[in-house]
Amino acid sequence: MRMYDVIASKRDGKELTTEEIYEFIEGYVKGDIPDYQVSALLMAIYFKGMSEREILDLTTAMAQSGDQVDLSPIEGIKVDKHSTGGVGDKTTLIVAPIVAANGVKVAKMSGRGLGHTGGTVDKLESIPGFRTDLNQEEFFDVVKRTGISVIGQSGNLTPADKKLYALRDVTATVESIPLIASSIMSKKLAAGSDCILLDVKTGSGAFMKTVERSIELAEEMVKLGENAGRKTCALITDMDVPLGNNIGNSLEVIEAVNTLKGQGPADLTHEILYLAANMMELAGLGDEESCLAKAQAVIDDGSALKCLIEMVKAQGGDASVIEDTDNFEKAKFSHEVKAPVAGYIATMNTEGCGIASVLLGAGRETLNSPIDMAAGIIIARKTGDYVEAGETIATLYANDESLFEKAEKKYLESIAFSDEKVIRNPLLYAKVSKDGTKRMA
Ligand code: URA
């Protein structure tokens, strides 16, 4: 295979053969094919797209490019979840214990935050002592004992995706459905669970800015999962407004704990019940309606929170911060953001709100920059709410007071006010399964 010919084929809109796709992935991971040729191929894929068969081959080749986890030593059905990323998205911390409290195992590898989006691994590491770097034996042991374990992605899982994602990030080729679908699904297939629930975010804080594009991506990913023999379903959920009220690592753990106690914000509570119910439905616990009741029941009887506490202890964390969230170390400084005018909050540029939180130290600009676990934002007023001029719309938290000025500016730039009453977008737009796409709003 000549890489030049592969690039030219795709440039001219032709279908790549299975052999060409496998050789390209293998050669790139080995370092035999240079970044400049792969960049050209990615751009050709971006413009010309890929057939179903090509996407399946690309996903399989990427999944097979490194370690593939065999979860069979853990008894029972294992269910995984993936969110395409957002701001204030602490759902894994809530739905994984709910599902585990219902007897379904969750052996999950999660990522760190990058750019304006947060990551579950960083949030969990805000719990003092919590280890996300368990080896496979420890990981399996925690799942067997507590029903749930969440760790960072292992070193050699889908090395092809690591290299390709980094290259896409700097060559303006992230927003391509074949490339996003193969990137996400290769990791999910290699991680080994029997069932996969995809939470595809849509709106100003998401990769996919429209519901139609989100459905297209979800349909592609569901096909890939089902083709690989995994029960797969996707929910299209709103990311046009930050989810819940808290943004930032320990602040999000606190909100997750409150939600597991039945005291979470309405939007977050609604969404996590549906995510958890759909994970349970995939695992064969009944239809969506009965699983919604099962999800609510383990919040009401406290068993979901108990599952989270057990996982935290099993992974070396100080569970006293979960038992009483006042024990979390707080940021030294806080600053209230006031509404500059009276009116309805018309829109929140969610990416902008995420960037404001990064400016306070809650996120990282590059993969290795340090983060401040206590920094972040607690939102007091959201899209659709009426506010008086001078009313507090959010409180910023940081350990360095000098960070407030830039973060406040960014936050205020992200909020638009209107004299007209504003109706907030729905939280759930659609469910995509092997049986088709069902609109929920
Ligand atoms: N998340 C991923 O893992 N990959 C993408 O391409 C986009 C979002």
Side-chain angles (χ1 to χ4, degrees):
M1 179 196 84
R2 282 179 73 223
M3 191 61 191
Y4 181 94
D5 298 332
V6 175
I7 298 167
S9 276
K10 190 41 76 183
R11 178 200 63 197
D12 298 339
K14 295 195 186 120
E15 230 186 324
L16 303 182
T17 65
T18 301
E19 292 69 34
E20 283 171 330
I21 290 173
Y22 272 77
E23 279 185 42
F24 143 58
I25 290 297
E26 227 178 276
Y28 187 46
V29 171
K30 273 198 202 147
D32 295 345
I33 303 174
D35 281 350
Y36 53 82
Q37 283 190 311
V38 177
S39 304
L41 179 61
L42 292 173
M43 192 54 88
I45 293 172
Y46 181 94
F47 281 114
K48 299 292 178 177
M50 281 185 134
S51 68
E52 293 293 324
R53 203 263 313 142
E54 285 176 296
I55 300 174
L56 179 61
D57 284 340
L58 179 60
T59 307
T60 315
M62 286 165 72
Q64 292 173 357
S65 68
D67 296 342
Q68 294 184 80
V69 184
D70 172 12
L71 293 177
S72 63
I74 302 169
E75 257 177 53
I77 306 274
K78 277 77 65 181
V79 57
D80 199 353
K81 158 191 176 283
H82 182 87
S83 159
T84 56
V87 177
D89 181 0
K90 67 282 293 173
T91 56
T92 292
L93 302 175
I94 313 166
V95 300
I98 291 175
V99 170
N102 274 285
V104 179
K105 305 273 181 7
V106 183
K108 181 156 173 49
M109 292 188 191
S110 284
R112 293 189 183 278
L114 187 64
H116 71 284
T117 66
T120 305
V121 165
D122 293 330
K123 293 170 202 185
L124 282 167
E125 285 180 354
S126 74
I127 301 168
F130 191 93
R131 286 182 55 213
T132 57
D133 61 348
L134 305 187
N135 63 36
Q136 183 159 304
E137 201 183 325
E138 294 170 316
F139 178 46
F140 283 16
D141 181 55
V142 175
V143 182
K144 285 181 192 164
R145 283 196 287 133
T146 71
I148 168 183
S149 180
V150 183
I151 60 169
Q153 201 174 298
S154 97
N156 198 34
L157 201 85
T158 54
D161 180 60
K162 275 200 197 94
K163 286 191 82 172
L164 283 174
Y165 194 83
L167 195 59
R168 287 166 57 209
D169 213 17
V170 292
T171 54
T173 50
V174 170
E175 282 101 2
S176 147
I177 286 182
L179 297 178
I180 297 177
S182 54
S183 162
I184 292 176
M185 290 309 290
S186 61
K187 286 182 286 232
K188 293 290 109 180
L189 297 182
S193 282
D194 308 296
C195 312
I196 304 162
L197 178 74
L198 301 160
D199 178 7
V200 180
K201 302 284 183 199
T202 194
S204 61
F207 279 118
M208 295 287 129
K209 307 290 183 203
T210 68
V211 178
E212 278 58 42
R213 287 279 289 167
S214 302
I215 289 178
E216 222 183 298
L217 173 64
E219 286 174 342
E220 199 53 64
M221 294 196 289
V222 168
K223 263 185 246 158
L224 288 169
E226 290 285 339
N227 250 317
R230 315 293 173 89
K231 288 190 181 167
T232 311
C233 168
L235 291 181
I236 312 297
T237 66
D238 184 60
M239 192 37 76
D240 213 34
V241 177
L243 186 58
N245 298 332
N246 294 14
I247 309 173
N249 296 291
S250 64
L251 291 175
E252 293 195 38
V253 176
I254 293 168
E255 193 170 52
V257 170
N258 290 339
T259 307
L260 283 170
K261 287 180 178 163
Q263 296 156 7
D267 60 349
L268 179 61
T269 302
H270 184 73
E271 190 164 317
I272 56 97
L273 287 173
Y274 273 86
L275 291 170
N278 277 280
M279 288 169 81
M280 290 191 267
E281 187 183 16
L282 282 172
L285 262 59
D287 62 10
E288 185 182 88
E289 207 183 318
S290 64
C291 288
L292 279 168
K294 287 185 169 85
Q296 185 66 55
V298 295
I299 294 178
D300 294 345
D301 70 9
S303 54
L305 180 60
K306 201 161 156 259
C307 257
L308 178 66
I309 291 172
E310 278 170 15
M311 178 188 80
V312 167
K313 285 183 185 161
Q315 294 190 212
D318 173 4
S320 74
V321 299
I322 307 294
E323 283 154 350
D324 179 354
T325 53
D326 282 344
N327 289 330
F328 266 111
E329 198 169 315
K330 301 287 179 306
K332 283 200 200 91
F333 305 103
S334 65
H335 174 81
E336 293 185 4
V337 180
K338 311 277 186 191
V341 292
Y344 293 93
I345 296 189
T347 54
M348 297 177 80
N349 181 314
T350 300
E351 183 169 346
C353 298
I355 293 170
S357 149
V358 173
L359 292 172
L360 294 166
R364 45 173 80 75
E365 304 279 355
T366 63
L367 212 50
N368 295 318
S369 41
I371 50 178
D372 181 346
M373 291 298 181
I377 303 172
I378 296 187
I379 301 168
R381 295 285 180 266
K382 293 171 84 170
T383 303
D385 289 342
Y386 180 81
V387 294
E388 296 291 352
E391 192 179 326
T392 299
I393 55 169
T395 305
L396 311 182
Y397 294 89
N399 280 307
D400 175 354
E401 265 182 306
S402 70
L403 301 176
F404 286 141
E405 194 182 330
K406 262 195 184 166
E408 178 176 40
K409 185 167 177 284
K410 185 71 199 173
Y411 192 81
L412 281 172
E413 274 170 15
S414 309
I415 313 290
F417 296 86
S418 155
D419 292 336
E420 309 284 321
K421 210 169 170 26
V422 176
I423 307 290
R424 202 179 143 174
N425 286 339
L427 284 166
L428 303 169
Y429 287 97
K431 175 170 173 168
V432 178
S433 70
K434 68 175 188 333
D435 303 323
T437 298
K438 191 177 97 193
R439 291 276 184 162
M440 299 164 94

